[in-house]
């Protein structure tokens, strides 16, 4: 699932960077690439961490997932603040294409994860044993 979601976000990011390069120049292409990398690293890292915690301690998975969601929001905000403060968004990276890659990549990531999870058909509960035994 993690690889499928990452591939979907990467494909969108590469398409956005190609379109950005032709439509608005190198700054747009670099902005789209940085936005795509940001989505893959942040969402991929948090998904991997939640999967590892769920495998070790399933009862803590929901709490850890909520924590990683908060961490994702804070990390994205810190990265954007750092990029704004460094001056890269004014010269090297195009803000619009960076934001489009982050928003589009996140949407593609979430939709592909939902599609991949529903196709796996993982049961939520165990059926009782056959023959009425308890």
């Amino acid at each position: 699932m993690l690889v499928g979601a990452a591939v979907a976000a990467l494909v969108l990011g590469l398409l956005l960077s190609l379109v950005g390069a032709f439509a608005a120049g190198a700054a747009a292409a670099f902005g789209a690439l940085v936005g795509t990398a940001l989505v893959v690293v942040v969402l991929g890292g948090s998904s991997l961490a939640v999967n590892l915690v769920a495998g070790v301690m399933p009862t803590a998975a929901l709490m850890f997932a909520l924590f990683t969601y908060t961490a994702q929001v804070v990390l994205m905000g810190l990265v954007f603040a750092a990029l704004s403060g460094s001056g890269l968004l004014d010269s090297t990276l195009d803000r619009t294409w960076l934001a489009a890659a982050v928003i589009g990549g996140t949407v593609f990531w979430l939709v592909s994860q939902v599609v991949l999870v529903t196709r796996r058909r993982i049961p939520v509960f165990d059926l009782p044993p056959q023959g009425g035994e308890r």
Side-chain angles (χ1 to χ4, degrees):
M1 285 186 330
L2 183 61
V3 173
V7 166
L10 285 171
V11 167
L12 175 70
L14 291 176
L15 288 173
L16 276 175
S17 66
L18 286 174
V19 171
F22 288 118
F30 289 140
L33 288 175
V34 169
T36 301
L38 185 61
V39 166
V40 171
V41 168
V42 170
L43 296 180
S46 64
S47 292
L48 183 62
V50 170
N51 285 341
L52 290 174
V53 168
V56 173
M57 218 165 60
T59 56
L62 180 60
M63 181 181 64
F64 194 73
L66 292 172
F67 166 74
T68 57
Y69 174 74
T70 304
Q72 287 173 352
V73 172
V74 169
L75 185 60
M76 287 281 196
L78 289 174
V79 168
F80 277 108
L83 286 174
S84 292
S86 69
L88 285 174
L89 289 179
D90 299 326
S91 59
T92 308
L93 303 173
D94 188 328
R95 288 178 192 266
T96 305
W97 289 90
L98 177 80
V102 168
I103 293 168
T106 302
V107 169
F108 265 56
W109 184 282
L110 293 175
V111 168
S112 65
Q113 260 195 333
V114 168
V115 168
L116 292 170
V117 165
T118 55
R119 286 185 181 170
R120 288 190 66 190
R121 303 222 184 251
I122 301 171
V124 178
F125 58 89
D126 292 328
L127 294 174
Q130 297 293 333
E133 299 175 17
R134 291 192 174 212

